[in-house]
Amino acid sequence: PVQKLSMTDQSYEGSKLVYSFLLTLMKNYCPDDKGKNDFTIDKMKPALAFMAQHLSEPISIEDIAGSMNITPQHFCLIFKLTMNQRPFEYLNSLRINHSKHLLLNYKEMAVKEISRLSGYPNHSYFCQLFKTRERLTPAEFRKLYKQN
């Protein structure tokens, strides 16, 4: 019983230290909403432009972070804080929106080609991701909007 009490006290002290550290970290590195966008989208523009310009190509976090001359780890952190999503979530949104544009404006283009032009060399993965996000396959999406 004495050892358990001692271990509990140590655990409590350890938890207190970790909690204190996290609070300090949040105060210093996670500004409130007022200052949240001090890093802002303006400073994110090189990365956002890079993703938009290269969306049909394979892109790595290192490539995107390099467009801002920062480390991939720092880039992921500030991207998430600024954009409220992960970099590849944003990139996938860009790519899916681009594919929707192609599906509607190039009706004769094969879905496989649209997949490639949208940055998805794996056609099956593209169709799976598209269906997950849009709740329709690319072909169903095209057919639905072709009628309207």
Side-chain angles (χ1 to χ4, degrees):
V2 174
Q3 285 181 334
K4 283 187 179 181
L5 181 60
S6 175
M7 189 60 168
T8 303
D9 288 343
Q10 287 175 353
S11 295
Y12 176 73
E13 285 302 313
S15 292
K16 220 164 81 171
L17 286 171
V18 169
Y19 185 71
S20 174
F21 170 75
L22 290 173
L23 285 176
T24 303
L25 188 65
M26 285 183 65
K27 281 182 196 171
N28 293 323
Y29 297 103
C30 298
D32 60 7
D33 283 345
K34 230 180 356 181
K36 177 181 173 193
N37 288 334
D38 283 350
F39 191 83
T40 64
I41 292 175
D42 275 350
K43 292 183 182 171
M44 276 292 174
K45 281 184 180 176
L48 300 177
F50 181 88
M51 286 189 259
Q53 290 167 356
H54 299 277
L55 67 83
S56 65
E57 305 164 21
I59 299 175
S60 70
I61 288 293
E62 290 79 10
D63 296 331
I64 305 167
S67 72
M68 294 181 62
N69 297 315
I70 58 177
T71 66
Q73 295 81 4
H74 186 62
F75 170 72
C76 287
L77 176 68
I78 61 172
F79 193 93
K80 176 77 171 157
L81 288 172
T82 306
M83 304 296 290
N84 292 320
Q85 60 184 319
R86 293 184 181 120
F88 280 106
E89 291 171 332
Y90 177 82
L91 182 60
N92 278 332
S93 292
L94 274 180
R95 287 175 167 171
I96 293 297
N97 286 337
H98 180 68
S99 71
K100 290 182 343 188
H101 169 77
L102 295 175
L103 284 164
L104 297 178
N105 293 299
Y106 298 91
K107 295 180 189 331
E108 301 305 315
M109 188 180 289
V111 173
K112 193 170 188 173
E113 180 65 9
I114 289 173
S115 164
R116 189 186 64 73
L117 291 173
S118 299
Y120 298 104
N122 183 326
H123 173 67
S124 297
Y125 175 71
F126 166 71
C127 290
Q128 178 187 9
L129 183 65
F130 192 97
K131 184 163 183 161
T132 300
R133 288 177 166 258
E134 301 300 320
R135 300 191 176 165
L136 298 166
T137 66
E140 290 168 340
F141 177 86
R142 178 182 263 170
K143 185 177 178 182
L144 177 68
Y145 287 98
K146 183 180 179 182
Q147 295 170 353
N148 293 334

